[in-house]
């Protein structure tokens, strides 16, 4: 069997920056990973039981990949939605660097998960300086056991509310993505303190947001940067649902054709990030013909669970006359096309040119400067590339 010490040393050397390498060596990841895990994506997802395949389980613990640790919020019956994980170690390292954490600083972690990230934080901040909030009772109990002796306080609760009894904090670090930064995180952070969280939209999950709390302690501002796709905090998930449930044969629709191809508006990181800012609540799903990845014939579905609206965008080889169908009060393809045109017109900005300001009144996303705020695209806005069919 492979030595866990060798795997730990290799992981620390490969993914941890020099400033965090010793901490990675002192905190073995496999001490925190549960005995039953899942790795891979989609049809390639594989369940691994430690008792049945100890070497495969150990190697999974030390691979630079996310490890799924819970399905369907722990329910025995469900559809197989991923609900908790041990994050990809290189992304963990990126987020730890972003916190700019010093010994003695107090940290609030949102989402304890396995406890590995909290243990790394405690190794740097010191015994008694890390409070970690976990919403799932089973996960919280497992993490609390794994963290015994490391000086981390594990709290069962809703991380969106923070944890006022241990406030104020010098740093807040979330290990689950948000679409809206909760204001309690700002309230519970010292002036000048940092908040680091994965951030995304229903259309784009996500990037890393680095915020600094202003000198008066009442607001926070910062920019996006880096690829950091995470599961959502439970209170901000886009509702689950299958394609068959959302796109039904009896739905009426309008039909048109377009010359717009999804390669950039759906597939490009920066374009899809900007579009997600302008088309709230919209999920996309790509379905290849015959379920063959890479098939040049496929359909892109756009769906808004809130309004029941959907659009289908049919792609096939040949002339760029792609058929579009739209159902519901929102014309989702028109909104996407309008948002894509806007992104082009403002100079095709990279996601790192966007930022956000959080105040008691809410969240405001901006481009380049805080005064240049964005608004959502007008629902149903027309796009010159669309033609009624």
């Amino acid at each position: 069997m492979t030595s866990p010490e060798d795997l730990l040393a290799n992981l620390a050397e490969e993914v941890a920056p020099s400033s965090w390498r010793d901490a990675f060596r002192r905190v073995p990841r496999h001490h925190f990973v549960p005995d039953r895990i899942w790795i891979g994506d989609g049809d390639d997802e594989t369940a691994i039981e430690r008792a049945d395949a100890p070497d495969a389980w150990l190697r999974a613990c030390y691979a630079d990949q996310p490890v799924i640790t819970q399905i369907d919020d722990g329910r025995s019956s469900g559809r197989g939605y991923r609900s908790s994980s041990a994050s990809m170690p290189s992304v963990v390292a990126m987020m730890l660097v972003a916190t700019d954490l010093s010994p003695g600083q107090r940290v609030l972690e949102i989402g304890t998960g396995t406890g590995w990230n909290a243990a790394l934080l405690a190794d740097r901040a010191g015994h008694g300086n890390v409070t970690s909030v976990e919403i799932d009772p089973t996960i919280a109990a497992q993490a609390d056991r794994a963290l015994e002796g490391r000086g981390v306080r594990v709290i069962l609760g809703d991380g969106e509310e923070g944890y006022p009894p241990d406030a104020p904090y010098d740093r807040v670090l979330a290990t689950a993505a948000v679409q809206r930064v909760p204001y309690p995180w700002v309230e519970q952070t010292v002036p000048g303190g940092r908040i680091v969280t994965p951030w995304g939209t229903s259309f784009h999950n996500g990037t890393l947001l680095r915020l600094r709390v202003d000198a008066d302690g009442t607001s926070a501002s910062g920019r996006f940067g880096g690829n950091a796709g995470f599961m959502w905090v439970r209170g901000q998930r886009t509702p689950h649902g299958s394609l068959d449930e959302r796109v039904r044969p009896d739905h009426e629709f309008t039909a048109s054709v377009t010359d717009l191809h999804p390669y950039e508006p759906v597939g490009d990181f920066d374009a899809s990030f900007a579009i997600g800012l302008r088309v709230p609540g919209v999920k996309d799903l790509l379905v290849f013909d015959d379920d063959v990845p890479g098939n040049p014939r496929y359909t892109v579905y756009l769906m808004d669970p809130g309004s029941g609206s959907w659009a289908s965008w049919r792609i096939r080889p040949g002339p760029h006359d792609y058929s579009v169908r739209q159902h519901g009060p929102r014309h989702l393809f028109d909104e996407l096309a309008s948002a894509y045109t806007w992104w082009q017109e403002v100079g095709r900005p990279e996601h790192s040119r966007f930022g956000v300001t959080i105040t008691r009144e809410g969240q405001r996303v901006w481009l380049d400067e805080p005064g240049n705020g964005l608004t959502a695209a007008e629902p149903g806005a027309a796009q010159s590339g669309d033609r009624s069919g």
Side-chain angles (χ1 to χ4, degrees):
M1 184 172 179
T2 308
S3 163
E5 291 77 17
D6 289 343
L7 292 171
L8 175 61
N10 289 339
L11 180 70
E13 188 66 30
E14 290 173 3
V15 309
S18 57
S19 59
W20 280 91
R21 197 162 294 148
D22 287 344
F24 270 64
R25 292 187 180 115
R26 288 190 290 261
V27 184
R29 193 177 187 225
H30 74 283
H31 288 180
F32 298 88
V33 175
D35 291 344
R36 180 175 174 81
I37 59 174
W38 295 260
I39 60 173
D41 292 310
D43 294 337
D44 293 329
E45 185 174 272
T46 302
I48 300 177
E49 292 279 359
R50 183 178 187 177
D52 297 335
D55 194 57
W57 177 88
L58 186 63
R59 287 186 176 278
C61 290
Y62 286 103
D64 190 23
Q65 64 182 11
V67 174
I68 307 306
T69 56
Q70 187 193 67
I71 302 292
D72 295 319
D73 297 333
R75 296 189 300 272
S76 58
S77 61
R79 301 187 179 186
Y81 295 117
R82 300 172 171 194
S83 53
S84 191
S85 69
S87 301
M88 187 173 179
S90 57
V91 175
V92 169
M94 176 183 70
M95 294 175 66
L96 291 172
V97 170
T99 64
D100 191 29
L101 181 63
S102 297
Q105 290 184 322
R106 294 187 55 75
V107 185
L108 173 64
E109 181 191 45
I110 309 299
T112 314
T114 65
W116 183 56
N117 193 76
L120 290 166
L121 290 168
D123 187 87
R124 171 63 57 88
H127 195 281
N129 285 327
V130 177
T131 299
S132 186
V133 182
E134 172 58 52
I135 197 169
D136 186 286
T138 301
I139 292 174
Q142 291 171 342
D144 197 31
R145 290 193 295 270
L147 285 162
E148 185 176 358
R150 293 186 179 270
V152 176
R153 185 173 186 181
V154 178
I155 301 299
L156 178 62
D158 185 349
E160 289 194 64
E161 300 300 323
Y163 188 66
D166 285 355
Y169 304 97
D170 299 288
R171 301 289 186 265
V172 174
L173 175 61
T175 63
V178 297
Q179 301 187 54
R180 303 170 303 279
V181 176
Y183 189 67
W185 298 0
V186 178
E187 290 182 303
Q188 295 171 34
T189 303
V190 300
R194 293 193 177 199
I195 299 170
V196 177
T197 181
W199 192 98
T201 64
S202 297
F203 193 72
H204 186 284
N205 174 34
T207 183
L208 195 64
L209 174 61
R210 301 162 175 85
L211 296 167
R212 184 176 292 277
V213 176
D214 294 343
D216 61 6
T218 63
S219 63
S221 293
R223 293 181 180 272
F224 303 105
N227 189 340
F230 276 69
M231 297 176 190
W232 301 105
V233 296
R234 292 192 182 181
Q236 296 190 30
R237 290 173 177 167
T238 301
H240 294 310
S242 69
L243 179 63
D244 290 343
E245 290 170 330
R246 291 176 175 161
V247 181
R248 299 179 60 84
D250 59 342
H251 282 168
E252 296 182 354
F253 57 82
T254 59
S256 61
V257 293
T258 182
D259 59 6
L260 180 61
H261 190 277
Y263 175 78
E264 195 165 65
V266 175
D268 180 83
F269 189 91
D270 293 316
S272 60
F273 177 81
I275 289 169
L277 300 176
R278 305 266 293 181
V279 290
V282 176
K283 293 174 65 72
D284 68 286
L285 178 66
L286 190 154
V287 179
F288 290 102
D289 285 16
D290 304 318
D291 291 325
V292 177
N295 191 326
R297 298 178 182 273
Y298 59 91
T299 302
V300 176
Y301 291 93
L302 308 173
M303 297 168 284
D304 170 27
S307 68
S309 303
W310 59 261
S312 64
W313 185 4
R314 177 66 179 162
I315 309 301
R316 75 243 182 308
H320 291 183
D321 287 327
Y322 307 122
S323 63
V324 173
R325 295 177 175 181
Q326 300 185 89
H327 164 81
R330 294 181 66 180
H331 296 171
L332 299 184
F333 177 81
D334 294 347
E335 290 187 39
L336 176 143
S338 179
Y340 177 59
T341 297
W342 167 82
W343 178 70
Q344 294 176 304
E345 289 175 346
V346 296
R348 304 166 66 88
E350 296 181 356
H351 72 285
S352 56
R353 286 178 55 190
F354 292 91
V356 66
T357 297
I358 313 299
T359 65
R360 188 179 298 277
E361 287 69 40
Q363 172 176 276
R364 179 169 50 84
V365 179
W366 38 265
L367 175 62
D368 292 330
E369 299 294 338
N372 189 19
L374 307 184
T375 57
E378 288 295 324
Q383 161 69 15
S384 61
D386 301 337
R387 304 186 296 279
S388 296

